[in-house]
Amino acid sequence: MKNKNLSRFKSPVYGMAIAIVSTGLTLSGCQKKPEAETNNQPETTETTTVTAPVAVNETADTNANTDTINEVALSQPLTILALGDSLTEGLGVDPDDNYPAQLETQLKQMGYKNVEVVNSGLSGETSTGLVNRLDWVTQTKPDITILTIGANDAMRGLELETIEANIRTAVKHLQDNGSEVILGGMQIYDNLGNDYVKSFSAIYPRIAEDMNLKMIPFFLEGVGGISELNQADAIHPTREGYTIIVNNNILPVLKPEVDRMLVSMQANSLTPVETSTTETEQ
């Protein structure tokens, strides 16, 4: 497994596990939004109404998914940047169990031989902090970036206009550097007031529409609020939770873009002579 972690620095300030304590500055919670107020549940931030998880075998149906592209295209090198906060970094799970690591494993099992998923999640990250490290993370020259950010800002009750402006800045920077962006939608618990919660959730589809992005509607769908799929903090997914996120939430959006991009790369790599020869043989 070749899975890099590009967290620029990690200090106690950014330790996500600490965030649950006295300050209430928890990053990206994973509880579902209750129909009625529930007891014995820690207050979290990246939450919403969620559905029951779909049971997924980690390697189910992976070998049947490459029929649409040929062996040459599958061999093209591809770099995917996983960019975000502790949900991306995988706080509390082994390095091979976070979503970037599992995603790379799944893609290779599906036949994408030269794909690399680079983990650039940083615990405690806000949209402002992410914007400030964009020049550094884009040195990886990602072909595709999965961007999941903003819940820390919302948990602190920061101005929605600032959150949206930062996400737009990040998307534009990544696009200007040649990366296709897939935006991970986020939703938060309604302890900040219904208007704030709804306005925050609306940021992501609006940006996706305005900037022509593919979008994961809710990154934690089927995992948030499911106790057996989250760690003891009720915030961060377990290995099994990340498996569901990868298979059910990320891959259905990512795979068509990977296929399209690899076919395009393969076609563009042919010289005029090679193109002519290929056409003649056909």
Side-chain angles (χ1 to χ4, degrees):
M1 166 60 59
K2 180 182 177 186
N3 190 277
K4 304 176 185 176
N5 190 305
L6 288 186
S7 298
R8 187 174 186 179
F9 50 82
K10 294 182 181 178
S11 69
V13 176
Y14 290 95
M16 179 66 187
I18 323 170
I20 247 181
V21 220
S22 58
T23 61
L25 298 181
T26 48
L27 171 74
S28 37
C30 296
Q31 289 179 281
K32 67 179 176 182
K33 179 178 177 182
E35 294 296 330
E37 192 170 7
T38 57
N39 297 320
N40 303 320
Q41 290 277 37
E43 186 174 86
T44 59
T45 54
E46 281 179 15
T47 59
T48 188
T49 302
V50 296
T51 57
V54 178
V56 177
N57 186 319
E58 291 178 40
T59 58
D61 299 325
T62 55
N63 294 324
N65 290 327
T66 58
D67 297 341
T68 57
I69 56 178
N70 62 33
E71 220 29 57
V72 177
L74 286 170
S75 299
Q76 296 295 311
L78 187 79
T79 299
I80 299 171
L81 177 65
L83 182 59
D85 48 42
S86 67
L87 290 176
T88 297
E89 183 183 45
L91 188 73
V93 299
D94 291 339
D96 288 341
D97 293 339
N98 58 48
Y99 105 68
Q102 290 201 46
L103 179 60
E104 181 176 308
T105 298
Q106 285 286 65
L107 288 169
K108 287 184 174 177
Q109 288 175 346
M110 293 165 72
Y112 303 95
K113 301 175 181 178
N114 289 324
V115 68
E116 180 182 11
V117 180
V118 179
N119 188 339
S120 188
L122 182 63
S123 292
E125 186 71 287
T126 63
S127 62
T128 299
L130 185 139
V131 166
N132 289 336
R133 64 186 177 103
L134 282 173
D135 286 337
W136 185 74
V137 298
T138 52
Q139 291 178 30
T140 59
K141 300 187 181 303
D143 300 293
I144 297 173
T145 300
I146 302 171
L147 175 62
T148 309
I149 197 69
N152 277 342
D153 305 69
M155 174 276 304
R156 292 169 171 84
L158 299 182
E159 291 292 331
L160 294 170
E161 292 79 5
T162 300
I163 302 172
E164 181 165 353
N166 283 338
I167 295 175
R168 288 178 182 270
T169 296
V171 169
K172 186 175 187 308
H173 185 99
L174 290 161
Q175 290 176 331
D176 289 348
N177 280 270
S179 183
E180 179 177 332
V181 178
I182 294 175
L183 185 62
M186 281 292 153
Q187 300 169 353
I188 58 171
Y189 194 73
D190 59 0
N191 57 350
L192 293 172
N194 193 52
D195 288 344
Y196 188 95
V197 169
K198 286 185 176 180
S199 297
F200 174 76
S201 299
I203 287 174
Y204 297 90
R206 180 165 58 246
I207 292 175
E209 181 177 1
D210 291 348
M211 305 188 78
N212 194 28
L213 308 178
K214 301 296 181 182
M215 180 180 165
I216 301 163
F218 179 39
F219 182 80
L220 296 172
E221 185 70 36
V223 174
I226 310 298
S227 60
E228 60 268 29
L229 297 175
N230 289 279
Q231 298 172 48
D233 60 13
I235 292 175
H236 297 93
T238 60
R239 178 181 185 275
E240 293 75 19
Y242 277 123
T243 298
I244 290 173
I245 288 170
V246 167
N247 286 342
N248 295 2
N249 302 346
I250 296 176
L251 278 172
V253 179
L254 175 66
K255 184 186 179 298
E257 299 310 303
V258 169
D259 288 350
R260 180 191 58 76
M261 186 168 288
L262 289 178
V263 169
S264 177
M265 287 177 174
Q266 194 271 331
N268 291 336
S269 70
L270 295 177
T271 66
V273 173
E274 289 172 326
T275 302
S276 176
T277 302
T278 302
E279 289 174 351
T280 300
E281 291 175 348
Q282 292 175 345

